[in-house]
Amino acid sequence: MPKSTSVLALVQAFGLLQGAALAAVQCNGTFDAISASDYVAALNPGWNLGNTLDATPDEGSWNNPPVQAQTFADIKAAGFQSVRIPVTYADHFVGASPGWEIDPDWLQRVEDVVDMALDAGLYVLTNVHHDSWQWADVSAAGANLTAIEERMYQTWLQIGEKLGCKSSSVGFETINEPPVDTEEQATELNKINGIFLDALKASGGFNTKRVVTLVGPSMDSIKTSQWFEAPTGYDNPWALQYHYYSPYDFIFSAWGKTILSDADIATIEGDLENIRANFTDVPLVLGEFDASPLNTEPAARRKYMDIVVRKAKELDTAVILWDNGLDHFNRDTKEWKDPHALEILLNAAAGVSNSLSDFTTDASATEQSSSAYVFHKAGDDVTDQTISVSLNGNTLKSIATEDGTELSASTDYTASGGDITLTSSFLSTYFTSSASPGSKANLTLTFSAGATAGVNLVQWDLPELGATSSTAVSGADLRIPITWAGINQPAAVKMLREDGVYLFDDWTQYLGPLQAAYGTFDGQWNWDGSDLIIRAAAVDAVIAAGVATTFTFDFFPRGAGNSLNYTLNV
Ligand SMILES: *[C@@H]1O[C@H](CO)[C@@H](O)[C@H](O)[C@H]1NC(C)=O
Ligand SMILES: *[C@@H]1O[C@H](CO)[C@@H](O)[C@H](O)[C@H]1NC(C)=O
Ligand SMILES: *[C@@H]1O[C@H](CO)[C@@H](O)[C@H](O)[C@H]1NC(C)=O
Ligand SMILES: *[C@@H]1O[C@H](CO)[C@@H](O)[C@H](O)[C@H]1NC(C)=O
Ligand SMILES: *[C@@H]1O[C@H](CO)[C@@H](O)[C@H](O)[C@H]1NC(C)=O
C-alpha cells in the first residue's frame, strides 16, 4: 500500500502554519473504507506496545528501549493481527492554551512508529494515553473542564492532521482509562468522545471515515454499561473499547491470592457477557487484559488466558494483550515468557479448543496443586506422579522433552483420558535423593488440536535465608538474602503481628487459609535474583504498630510445609 504524504506536512515544512491555525489535510490516494465490525474482527488478536510511547516523560523511560521495526515483524510472525500503540502526549506539548501545540518531532515519531506497524502488516489502534491522569482527568478536584475540552480538541486535531492520510488499517481511540467516579463526570466523558470526533472532522484527511473506538468511564465494563452514551451526529464508524484486569487480586497477586477459583471463572464469563448484553449492536474491543508470567501461577494463568479470549471470541469481542515489556515478549531475545499461554491465546482467538492443565480452584483450600508442575521434595523416594489435564475434546498425542525426544507411552508414562502418570523410572532421570534443587526439565504435551501444555519438573527443598530476624529500620526496603531451592520466587507472604493482629487488612480473615493475613505483591513484598524483599511500606507498618511481626514466605508448592519465617522486631 503506497504511503500518501499529507499536504499539511508540506505546508508545515515551509513554516506557513503553526499551532492551532492548521488547515484540514487533503490526501492523495483513496481510502478503502472498512466497517467498525470488520475492523474489530481484523484486530483479533492484538498486542499492546506497552510502556513505550506511553511512558513518561519519554519513550525509553519505562523498562523498554525505543521501538524498533523488527518488534512489529516479530509480533506479526507470532500470530497477532494488530497492535495498539498507546501514546502519552503530556510531556510533548511545546505550546500552551489555546493552541496546545505538540512537538512536531514527537508527532513525527508517532507517525514513524505507526508506519513501522503498518509495514509489518498489522492493524493499528492508537490513542492519547496517560494524559488521562495528567491533564485530562475530569474527576480531579477543581478540574477545569473548559481547558480539558480545549486541549483534547487541539491534541486530536494535530494527531488527526498528522495521521489523517493513513489507510483504514489505522483506528483512533479517544483516551486511555479516563478516571470517572460519578454520573456527572461520565456525562462529561461522553461529551469528550464527541469533541474527539469534532477534532477528527476538522483535521480532514480520511478521518471521518476512519474507525474509532470510543471509551466509557475508566474503561471499566460495569461503569461503561451504566453510563456510556455514544455522541450522535457523526459519520465515523465506531466500536466501544473496555479493559479487563479482574479478578484484581489474582492479576496483581494481592492478599496472597494465587488460586483462580471456580467462582472467579464464572465471574469473568459473567462480566464479559454483561457488557455485551448492554451493547448488543456495538463492536467491542477488549483493549487491555493481562495475567503476567512474572507473578501468576502457570496453570491458573493459562486457564485465565483461555477463558478471557475464548469468551470474548464467542461474544464477538476482539482482544488486545497488555505487555509492559517485562510481562510477555522479550523484544531483544524474541522469547515469549510463557509460550504455552501465547499458544492458548492464539487458539482461543481462533475458536480452537485448548487442553489445559488442571489446578486447585477451591479458594478455601489449604494446599494448592498445579498440573503445570511435577514437584518432588528432595530426600523423598521418587514415585509415580499423576498430573491431570482437561482435554476439552482433544486427545493427547505425545509428550516430549525440550530437545524433542518423545517419551514412551508405556515405560515413561501412561495416560487414561486426561490423567497422565509419569513413571518413577522416568522421573528418576531427573529426580534423585541427591540432585540439587531446581527445575530439572520442561515437558511439552501435544494434543490433537489447540495449544501445547507445559509441565515443569521441579525438585524442591526449603530455601535458606541469610538471616531470620532483624530490627525494623524505617524508610527503606528490607532485603533478605536467600538461597533458592526449587522455584526461584516466593508465591505469597503472610504478615502476622506477634499479638495475632494482621499487619494489614484485617478483613482477609474472611478469605481462605492461603490468603488470611497475607500481603500484596510489589507494594508490600517482592524478590530479585538473590533476595526476598519486604517493602518499606510493610517495614514502616511494623514500626507504626510497634509490635514484632513474622513474615511467612510461602514457596510453590504452597501448603506443603514449603514456607520460611522472618521476624521483624521493633
Ligand atoms: C498529491 O498529488 C498531486 C498531483 O499529483 C501533487 O502535486 C501533490 O504534491 C500531492 N500531494 C501530496 C501531499 O503528496
Ligand atoms: C479554564 O480554562 C480556560 C481555557 O484554557 C481558561 O480560559 C480559564 O481561565 C480557565 N479557568 C480557570 C478558573 O482557571
Ligand atoms: C448492563 O450492565 C449493568 C451494569 O453492569 C447490569 O446491571 C445490567 O444487568 C446489564 N444489562 C443487561 C441487559 O445485561
Ligand atoms: C522450565 O521452564 C521454566 C519456565 O520458563 C524455566 O524457568 C526453567 O528454567 C525451565 N527448566 C529448565 C530445566 O530449562
Ligand atoms: C512461622 O510463624 C507462624 C506465625 O506467624 C507460626 O505459626 C509458625 O509456626 C512459624 N513457623 C515456623 C517454622 O517457625
Side-chain angles (χ1 to χ4, degrees):
M1 216 171 296
K3 256 180 266 161
S4 43
T5 322
S6 69
V7 170
L8 177 81
L10 298 178
V11 178
Q12 274 181 324
F14 290 104
L16 297 177
L17 285 175
Q18 285 176 8
L22 298 170
V25 181
Q26 288 176 335
C27 309
N28 285 328
T30 54
F31 187 79
D32 197 1
I34 182 171
S35 69
S37 58
D38 285 350
Y39 174 82
V40 167
L43 294 183
N44 201 35
W47 176 82
N48 272 282
L49 181 73
N51 288 9
T52 310
L53 296 183
D54 53 321
T56 63
D58 210 352
E59 184 182 7
S61 300
W62 294 352
N63 72 35
N64 286 299
V67 190
Q68 308 220 342
Q70 182 60 41
T71 296
F72 295 117
D74 295 337
I75 289 300
K76 175 78 180 175
F80 290 94
Q81 304 304 322
S82 66
V83 59
R84 179 165 172 265
I85 302 180
V87 183
T88 300
Y89 289 87
D91 294 294
H92 301 280
F93 287 95
V94 293
S97 174
W100 298 109
E101 193 189 345
I102 299 168
D103 180 355
D105 290 345
W106 182 246
L107 278 173
Q108 188 57 51
R109 177 63 179 157
V110 171
E111 178 178 17
D112 290 346
V113 171
V114 166
D115 284 341
M116 287 177 198
L118 291 172
D119 288 345
L122 292 162
Y123 281 77
V124 171
L125 180 58
T126 188
N127 73 353
V128 171
H129 202 80
H130 288 305
D131 305 80
S132 57
W133 47 262
Q134 305 203 57
W135 55 265
D137 184 354
V138 302
S139 75
N144 181 343
L145 300 182
T146 313
I148 292 173
E149 290 171 11
E150 175 190 270
R151 200 161 171 182
M152 274 300 284
Y153 181 88
Q154 295 298 341
T155 300
W156 272 111
L157 184 66
Q158 293 168 78
I159 302 167
E161 282 161 345
K162 190 69 178 173
L163 303 179
C165 297
K166 298 299 167 200
S167 76
S168 58
S169 300
V170 176
F172 296 150
E173 159 198 332
T174 320
I175 189 158
N176 177 69
E177 298 181 6
V180 164
D181 302 316
T182 65
E183 185 164 7
E184 194 187 356
Q185 292 160 9
T187 305
E188 177 62 24
L189 177 64
N190 290 332
K191 184 178 176 191
I192 284 175
N193 277 314
I195 289 169
F196 157 67
L197 295 174
D198 283 334
L200 292 185
K201 190 169 175 183
S203 69
F206 299 126
N207 288 333
T208 55
K209 298 186 206 154
R210 191 175 300 289
V211 176
V212 294
T213 70
L214 302 177
V215 301
S218 312
M219 282 182 154
D220 168 275
S221 67
I222 292 170
K223 287 194 233 172
T224 297
S225 293
Q226 286 173 327
W227 290 329
F228 172 80
E229 272 184 45
T232 53
Y234 299 93
D235 294 335
N236 288 82
W238 63 277
L240 185 58
Q241 186 182 161
Y242 70 99
H243 292 175
Y244 196 71
Y245 289 103
S246 270
Y248 169 87
D249 43 5
F250 172 73
I251 299 300
F252 296 100
S253 300
W255 307 296
K257 187 171 172 86
T258 53
I259 290 173
L260 184 68
S261 70
D262 288 324
D264 292 330
I265 293 166
T267 301
I268 294 165
E269 294 187 310
D271 287 347
L272 269 57
E273 281 163 2
N274 183 68
I275 183 165
R276 171 46 83 203
N278 271 278
F279 299 101
T280 49
D281 298 333
V282 177
L284 293 178
V285 178
L286 206 182
E288 287 187 19
F289 74 106
D290 190 19
S292 176
L294 187 69
N295 64 299
T296 53
E297 189 283 311
R301 172 200 320 138
R302 292 169 191 162
K303 174 70 176 179
Y304 187 85
M305 281 287 178
D306 189 72
I307 206 79
V308 171
V309 179
R310 183 170 308 285
K311 192 45 136 178
K313 167 78 178 170
E314 204 179 294
L315 297 168
D316 256 332
T317 301
V319 296
I320 310 180
L321 179 70
W322 181 254
D323 188 350
N324 68 13
L326 303 176
D327 289 334
H328 296 285
F329 182 58
N330 184 322
R331 300 178 199 176
D332 290 332
T333 65
K334 304 176 193 299
E335 282 164 338
W336 289 84
K337 295 254 162 63
D338 184 349
H340 305 288
L342 171 67
E343 282 185 49
I344 287 166
L345 181 156
L346 295 170
N347 279 283
V352 177
S353 232
N354 289 312
S355 302
L356 300 167
S357 305
D358 289 336
F359 54 94
T360 298
T361 56
D362 174 4
S364 60
T366 54
E367 292 188 17
Q368 179 176 12
S369 71
S370 165
S371 287
Y373 293 105
V374 170
F375 287 112
H376 175 254
K377 180 149 197 299
D380 286 358
D381 290 340
V382 180
T383 55
D384 290 358
Q385 290 216 48
T386 301
I387 54 169
S388 85
V389 172
S390 294
L391 290 170
N392 296 324
N394 302 325
T395 51
L396 176 69
K397 284 288 180 203
S398 65
I399 304 180
T401 55
E402 267 134 305
D403 64 7
T405 308
E406 283 196 14
L407 275 60
S408 153
S410 56
T411 54
D412 296 334
Y413 72 95
T414 56
S416 159
D419 290 338
I420 298 159
T421 301
L422 295 157
T423 63
S424 59
S425 66
F426 170 73
L427 291 174
S428 298
T429 349
Y430 301 100
F431 300 150
T432 67
S433 53
S434 61
S436 59
S439 168
K440 298 288 150 187
N442 283 294
L443 304 179
T444 299
L445 279 53
T446 304
F447 304 92
S448 52
T452 58
V455 180
N456 188 350
L457 307 188
V458 177
Q459 175 149 329
W460 67 274
D461 207 341
L462 263 186
E464 277 176 33
L465 298 183
T468 55
S469 69
S470 64
T471 300
V473 178
S474 174
D477 289 354
L478 170 67
R479 308 180 76 89
I480 308 163
I482 184 168
T483 307
W484 304 105
I487 296 177
N488 299 354
Q489 69 184 69
V493 186
K494 189 171 183 172
M495 305 180 176
L496 189 62
R497 286 164 37 174
E498 213 166 46
D499 58 5
V501 175
Y502 295 1
L503 185 61
F504 297 106
D505 302 314
D506 193 45
W507 60 268
T508 60
Q509 65 187 283
Y510 302 110
L511 302 177
L514 294 181
Q515 288 195 259
Y518 279 77
T520 292
F521 166 60
D522 201 24
Q524 294 165 356
W525 62 272
N526 207 319
W527 76 94
D528 65 16
S530 54
D531 294 301
L532 299 174
I533 298 167
I534 297 174
R535 288 289 199 203
V539 175
D540 288 341
V542 172
I543 292 169
V547 181
T549 300
T550 299
F551 292 80
T552 302
F553 287 86
D554 287 1
F555 303 90
F556 284 115
R558 285 189 79 184
N562 194 6
S563 302
L564 288 176
N565 281 352
Y566 185 92
T567 303
L568 202 49
N569 296 307
V570 288

